[in-house]
Amino acid sequence: MYYIALNVLHNMNSSRVMLYREMRKHFENQNINSDDEVFELGRKLGLADHVIKYEYDGCMYANFIVPQNGVKRLSEKAKVDFKLYDSELKYKLSEVPVTFDIYPEFIETKMHRVDTIDRAYEEKLMEEKWSRNKTLQRYKKKINSFSELESTICKLNGAFGEREEYHKSLEELITAYGTRRIHTKDSTAWINFRGCYSSKSLNDFWKVYLHIFDYTGKAIEWGGEPLSLQYLSELCDREEKNLKDFLVAAMEDGMIRKIGKDRFSITGHAASIHKCISSKYHLNRLSVIIRRKKKQRFILLIGENSLYSQKIKEVIYCDTKRVENYWRLFEADTLRDVIAKIMDIITAFDIYEDYYYWPLIRT
């Protein structure tokens, strides 16, 4: 089983949220016997057919809907993600989602530019020398010592940790912080959620997937190449795998989908997994989310990775419990405890066994 849990930037709109919520209620324990069932749900919400089709296709692209035994169903990923959209809403104004890319010479910290960040807080980040990329969707800061890392986390908590919990609906949050869309008459906003890219079939058909990813790294909607049945048959024969077994496993796993007669495409979910593997995120990446609870207590959510070394896993698992999407939950009385846990994990990365750079070695 391959999985990598990370902070995911979602472009959420109010129409999408309403449809996802209805799909979860209606299909969580039953199959989707026909596409018309989804369209009827959307029409009852007042959504136009072209909007429903766009979101429905998006569910196939994102591994939210998968084929199984001649029908379709919500994937386990969809059930978890749909639930988290509502259940974790109250933290969206106060949580601090940070990704650490760990190198021998320095640590690079990254944050998503989400619409729930007020302009005043953005200015605080810029004052602390965070840079932004060209799309303005990512903040980045280079950390050269553990003392600087501790100071950075403290300042982030000061900027975001003092905000109140949000107790309205996700649609109201999107409307309040997002942008009004002209064509669909709803609102859209970029929001961070803890996500996970996972695959059950990757290990069993690793060499077949490797050929596919060499051929195309994107879904067809984003310029990727279509996969013919003949091409997939030749790949499976070459790697001594049964074509039918591969197609069933890959489609039910949300890794490929059918786009026409004898034509397939990798999904956006598979493309993301390919990016994670090719970029070797498992070697140096740690994703965390810091939340302040009532009475000043803290929660640290730590993203897991199936390819982490045993040493890293042991440090992550110590004093934590598993929650959805292959994340671990660590409760702490103080921010200093949170920082200590993060530093313990970072120093467990194998990179520090091969290099000695004094600024990053804890004393």
mmCIF file of all heavy atoms in Angstrom, residues 2 6 11 32-33 36 39 80 126 149 153 183 204-205 217 248 265 303 307 312 320 327 332 337-338 354:
data_model
loop_
_atom_site.group_PDB
_atom_site.id
_atom_site.type_symbol
_atom_site.label_atom_id
_atom_site.label_comp_id
_atom_site.label_asym_id
_atom_site.label_seq_id
_atom_site.Cartn_x
_atom_site.Cartn_y
_atom_site.Cartn_z
ATOM 1 N N TYR A 2 0.718 2.066 -1.010
ATOM 2 C CA TYR A 2 1.466 3.323 -1.081
ATOM 3 C C TYR A 2 0.585 4.459 -0.594
ATOM 4 O O TYR A 2 -0.576 4.571 -0.977
ATOM 5 C CB TYR A 2 1.902 3.606 -2.519
ATOM 6 C CG TYR A 2 2.477 4.993 -2.710
ATOM 7 C CD1 TYR A 2 3.820 5.241 -2.463
ATOM 8 C CD2 TYR A 2 1.677 6.054 -3.110
ATOM 9 C CE1 TYR A 2 4.359 6.507 -2.604
ATOM 10 C CE2 TYR A 2 2.202 7.330 -3.257
ATOM 11 C CZ TYR A 2 3.541 7.547 -3.008
ATOM 12 O OH TYR A 2 4.059 8.812 -3.145
ATOM 13 N N LEU A 6 -0.321 14.746 2.882
ATOM 14 C CA LEU A 6 0.242 16.086 2.756
ATOM 15 C C LEU A 6 -0.843 17.151 2.805
ATOM 16 O O LEU A 6 -2.036 16.856 2.740
ATOM 17 C CB LEU A 6 1.060 16.216 1.464
ATOM 18 C CG LEU A 6 0.697 15.380 0.231
ATOM 19 C CD1 LEU A 6 -0.635 15.763 -0.330
ATOM 20 C CD2 LEU A 6 1.786 15.463 -0.804
ATOM 21 N N ASN A 11 -9.488 24.116 -4.452
ATOM 22 C CA ASN A 11 -10.313 25.208 -4.953
ATOM 23 C C ASN A 11 -11.772 24.802 -4.740
ATOM 24 O O ASN A 11 -12.333 24.036 -5.505
ATOM 25 C CB ASN A 11 -10.030 25.457 -6.435
ATOM 26 C CG ASN A 11 -10.803 26.650 -6.973
ATOM 27 O OD1 ASN A 11 -11.361 27.429 -6.206
ATOM 28 N ND2 ASN A 11 -10.830 26.788 -8.283
ATOM 29 N N ILE A 32 -23.784 3.784 -7.104
ATOM 30 C CA ILE A 32 -24.365 4.715 -8.069
ATOM 31 C C ILE A 32 -24.731 3.877 -9.286
ATOM 32 O O ILE A 32 -23.869 3.488 -10.080
ATOM 33 C CB ILE A 32 -23.359 5.820 -8.444
ATOM 34 C CG1 ILE A 32 -22.887 6.565 -7.197
ATOM 35 C CG2 ILE A 32 -23.973 6.798 -9.450
ATOM 36 C CD1 ILE A 32 -21.738 7.533 -7.443
ATOM 37 N N ASN A 33 -25.986 3.553 -9.418
ATOM 38 C CA ASN A 33 -26.414 2.636 -10.471
ATOM 39 C C ASN A 33 -26.481 3.290 -11.840
ATOM 40 O O ASN A 33 -26.386 2.617 -12.859
ATOM 41 C CB ASN A 33 -27.775 2.031 -10.120
ATOM 42 C CG ASN A 33 -27.691 1.150 -8.881
ATOM 43 O OD1 ASN A 33 -26.893 0.225 -8.823
ATOM 44 N ND2 ASN A 33 -28.511 1.458 -7.877
ATOM 45 N N ASP A 36 -27.689 9.297 -13.968
ATOM 46 C CA ASP A 36 -28.891 10.111 -13.734
ATOM 47 C C ASP A 36 -29.143 10.346 -12.246
ATOM 48 O O ASP A 36 -29.691 11.387 -11.857
ATOM 49 C CB ASP A 36 -30.124 9.439 -14.358
ATOM 50 C CG ASP A 36 -30.092 9.494 -15.878
ATOM 51 O OD1 ASP A 36 -29.354 10.355 -16.409
ATOM 52 O OD2 ASP A 36 -30.787 8.682 -16.517
ATOM 53 N N PHE A 39 -27.243 13.381 -11.305
ATOM 54 C CA PHE A 39 -27.844 14.569 -11.905
ATOM 55 C C PHE A 39 -29.122 14.974 -11.171
ATOM 56 O O PHE A 39 -29.392 16.162 -10.990
ATOM 57 C CB PHE A 39 -28.120 14.332 -13.393
ATOM 58 C CG PHE A 39 -26.933 14.581 -14.269
ATOM 59 C CD1 PHE A 39 -25.953 13.613 -14.427
ATOM 60 C CD2 PHE A 39 -26.763 15.795 -14.915
ATOM 61 C CE1 PHE A 39 -24.838 13.830 -15.217
ATOM 62 C CE2 PHE A 39 -25.659 16.046 -15.709
ATOM 63 C CZ PHE A 39 -24.689 15.061 -15.865
ATOM 64 N N VAL A 80 -13.933 9.919 3.185
ATOM 65 C CA VAL A 80 -13.134 10.594 4.209
ATOM 66 C C VAL A 80 -13.056 12.086 3.924
ATOM 67 O O VAL A 80 -13.287 12.924 4.800
ATOM 68 C CB VAL A 80 -11.715 9.990 4.283
ATOM 69 C CG1 VAL A 80 -10.815 10.835 5.175
ATOM 70 C CG2 VAL A 80 -11.786 8.564 4.810
ATOM 71 N N MET A 126 5.158 38.468 5.029
ATOM 72 C CA MET A 126 6.121 39.160 4.182
ATOM 73 C C MET A 126 7.155 39.896 5.029
ATOM 74 O O MET A 126 8.338 39.954 4.661
ATOM 75 C CB MET A 126 5.395 40.136 3.248
ATOM 76 C CG MET A 126 4.358 39.467 2.338
ATOM 77 S SD MET A 126 5.014 38.086 1.375
ATOM 78 C CE MET A 126 6.106 38.957 0.251
ATOM 79 N N LEU A 149 14.044 27.897 13.246
ATOM 80 C CA LEU A 149 12.820 27.119 13.042
ATOM 81 C C LEU A 149 11.856 27.334 14.202
ATOM 82 O O LEU A 149 10.656 27.550 14.002
ATOM 83 C CB LEU A 149 13.161 25.634 12.914
ATOM 84 C CG LEU A 149 11.974 24.679 12.782
ATOM 85 C CD1 LEU A 149 11.166 24.966 11.531
ATOM 86 C CD2 LEU A 149 12.457 23.227 12.786
ATOM 87 N N ILE A 153 8.033 29.063 13.895
ATOM 88 C CA ILE A 153 6.782 28.424 14.327
ATOM 89 C C ILE A 153 6.077 29.274 15.372
ATOM 90 O O ILE A 153 4.851 29.431 15.344
ATOM 91 C CB ILE A 153 7.065 27.005 14.866
ATOM 92 C CG1 ILE A 153 7.587 26.112 13.741
ATOM 93 C CG2 ILE A 153 5.781 26.399 15.460
ATOM 94 C CD1 ILE A 153 8.019 24.735 14.202
ATOM 95 N N HIS A 183 -20.454 33.264 -13.929
ATOM 96 C CA HIS A 183 -21.198 32.325 -14.778
ATOM 97 C C HIS A 183 -22.054 31.350 -13.979
ATOM 98 O O HIS A 183 -23.127 30.944 -14.433
ATOM 99 C CB HIS A 183 -20.234 31.568 -15.690
ATOM 100 C CG HIS A 183 -19.468 32.461 -16.619
ATOM 101 N ND1 HIS A 183 -20.076 33.220 -17.603
ATOM 102 C CD2 HIS A 183 -18.144 32.739 -16.688
ATOM 103 C CE1 HIS A 183 -19.165 33.909 -18.248
ATOM 104 N NE2 HIS A 183 -17.985 33.634 -17.718
ATOM 105 N N ASP A 204 1.393 -3.984 -6.665
ATOM 106 C CA ASP A 204 1.164 -5.186 -7.467
ATOM 107 C C ASP A 204 1.484 -4.978 -8.947
ATOM 108 O O ASP A 204 1.871 -5.930 -9.638
ATOM 109 C CB ASP A 204 -0.292 -5.647 -7.324
ATOM 110 C CG ASP A 204 -0.599 -6.157 -5.931
ATOM 111 O OD1 ASP A 204 0.349 -6.548 -5.224
ATOM 112 O OD2 ASP A 204 -1.785 -6.159 -5.549
ATOM 113 N N PHE A 205 1.303 -3.756 -9.421
ATOM 114 C CA PHE A 205 1.492 -3.481 -10.853
ATOM 115 C C PHE A 205 2.501 -2.353 -11.061
ATOM 116 O O PHE A 205 2.359 -1.540 -11.971
ATOM 117 C CB PHE A 205 0.148 -3.128 -11.507
ATOM 118 C CG PHE A 205 -0.871 -4.224 -11.429
ATOM 119 C CD1 PHE A 205 -1.836 -4.230 -10.428
ATOM 120 C CD2 PHE A 205 -0.866 -5.269 -12.346
ATOM 121 C CE1 PHE A 205 -2.785 -5.237 -10.348
ATOM 122 C CE2 PHE A 205 -1.812 -6.287 -12.280
ATOM 123 C CZ PHE A 205 -2.770 -6.274 -11.274
ATOM 124 N N GLY A 217 2.485 11.754 -17.853
ATOM 125 C CA GLY A 217 2.454 12.091 -16.433
ATOM 126 C C GLY A 217 1.245 12.908 -16.033
ATOM 127 O O GLY A 217 1.131 13.340 -14.893
ATOM 128 N N VAL A 248 -9.155 -3.911 -13.733
ATOM 129 C CA VAL A 248 -10.083 -3.925 -12.604
ATOM 130 C C VAL A 248 -9.450 -3.231 -11.396
ATOM 131 O O VAL A 248 -10.047 -2.360 -10.766
ATOM 132 C CB VAL A 248 -10.502 -5.364 -12.242
ATOM 133 C CG1 VAL A 248 -11.256 -5.390 -10.923
ATOM 134 C CG2 VAL A 248 -11.379 -5.952 -13.353
ATOM 135 N N SER A 265 -7.455 6.951 -19.533
ATOM 136 C CA SER A 265 -6.565 8.037 -19.116
ATOM 137 C C SER A 265 -6.176 7.796 -17.671
ATOM 138 O O SER A 265 -6.957 7.209 -16.901
ATOM 139 C CB SER A 265 -7.266 9.396 -19.239
ATOM 140 O OG SER A 265 -6.516 10.425 -18.590
ATOM 141 N N GLY A 303 1.583 14.287 8.934
ATOM 142 C CA GLY A 303 1.335 13.454 7.767
ATOM 143 C C GLY A 303 2.250 12.257 7.705
ATOM 144 O O GLY A 303 3.463 12.371 7.894
ATOM 145 N N LEU A 307 6.735 5.342 2.666
ATOM 146 C CA LEU A 307 8.137 5.130 2.320
ATOM 147 C C LEU A 307 9.099 5.760 3.316
ATOM 148 O O LEU A 307 10.308 5.759 3.090
ATOM 149 C CB LEU A 307 8.415 5.674 0.914
ATOM 150 C CG LEU A 307 7.620 5.009 -0.212
ATOM 151 C CD1 LEU A 307 7.994 5.603 -1.560
ATOM 152 C CD2 LEU A 307 7.847 3.503 -0.224
ATOM 153 N N ILE A 312 12.096 7.079 11.205
ATOM 154 C CA ILE A 312 11.172 8.220 11.166
ATOM 155 C C ILE A 312 9.798 7.805 11.672
ATOM 156 O O ILE A 312 9.157 8.524 12.445
ATOM 157 C CB ILE A 312 11.078 8.789 9.734
ATOM 158 C CG1 ILE A 312 12.435 9.327 9.282
ATOM 159 C CG2 ILE A 312 10.026 9.902 9.661
ATOM 160 C CD1 ILE A 312 12.478 9.728 7.823
ATOM 161 N N THR A 320 1.438 9.349 19.611
ATOM 162 C CA THR A 320 0.424 9.833 18.672
ATOM 163 C C THR A 320 -0.597 8.735 18.406
ATOM 164 O O THR A 320 -0.361 7.565 18.689
ATOM 165 C CB THR A 320 1.045 10.253 17.328
ATOM 166 O OG1 THR A 320 1.605 9.101 16.671
ATOM 167 C CG2 THR A 320 2.121 11.305 17.526
ATOM 168 N N TRP A 327 -2.918 10.322 8.732
ATOM 169 C CA TRP A 327 -2.311 11.345 9.561
ATOM 170 C C TRP A 327 -2.260 10.851 11.000
ATOM 171 O O TRP A 327 -3.045 9.990 11.400
ATOM 172 C CB TRP A 327 -3.114 12.652 9.486
ATOM 173 C CG TRP A 327 -2.957 13.370 8.184
ATOM 174 C CD1 TRP A 327 -3.469 13.000 6.980
ATOM 175 C CD2 TRP A 327 -2.243 14.591 7.952
ATOM 176 N NE1 TRP A 327 -3.123 13.907 6.012
ATOM 177 C CE2 TRP A 327 -2.375 14.895 6.580
ATOM 178 C CE3 TRP A 327 -1.525 15.455 8.782
ATOM 179 C CZ2 TRP A 327 -1.795 16.036 6.015
ATOM 180 C CZ3 TRP A 327 -0.948 16.584 8.220
ATOM 181 C CH2 TRP A 327 -1.082 16.865 6.851
ATOM 182 N N ALA A 332 -0.733 18.324 22.845
ATOM 183 C CA ALA A 332 0.316 18.940 23.650
ATOM 184 C C ALA A 332 -0.262 20.038 24.529
ATOM 185 O O ALA A 332 -1.267 20.677 24.183
ATOM 186 C CB ALA A 332 1.399 19.520 22.743
ATOM 187 N N ASP A 337 6.044 22.050 23.324
ATOM 188 C CA ASP A 337 5.938 20.598 23.131
ATOM 189 C C ASP A 337 5.725 20.263 21.658
ATOM 190 O O ASP A 337 6.253 19.265 21.152
ATOM 191 C CB ASP A 337 4.783 20.037 23.961
ATOM 192 C CG ASP A 337 5.024 20.149 25.460
ATOM 193 O OD1 ASP A 337 6.197 20.171 25.862
ATOM 194 O OD2 ASP A 337 4.042 20.232 26.224
ATOM 195 N N VAL A 338 4.922 21.083 20.985
ATOM 196 C CA VAL A 338 4.677 20.886 19.552
ATOM 197 C C VAL A 338 5.981 21.045 18.777
ATOM 198 O O VAL A 338 6.322 20.228 17.910
ATOM 199 C CB VAL A 338 3.622 21.900 19.053
ATOM 200 C CG1 VAL A 338 3.558 21.896 17.525
ATOM 201 C CG2 VAL A 338 2.253 21.586 19.637
ATOM 202 N N ASP A 354 24.154 11.108 7.134
ATOM 203 C CA ASP A 354 25.171 11.178 6.089
ATOM 204 C C ASP A 354 25.912 12.514 6.069
ATOM 205 O O ASP A 354 26.988 12.613 5.498
ATOM 206 C CB ASP A 354 24.527 10.961 4.715
ATOM 207 C CG ASP A 354 23.828 9.617 4.633
ATOM 208 O OD1 ASP A 354 24.365 8.663 5.209
ATOM 209 O OD2 ASP A 354 22.765 9.533 4.008
#
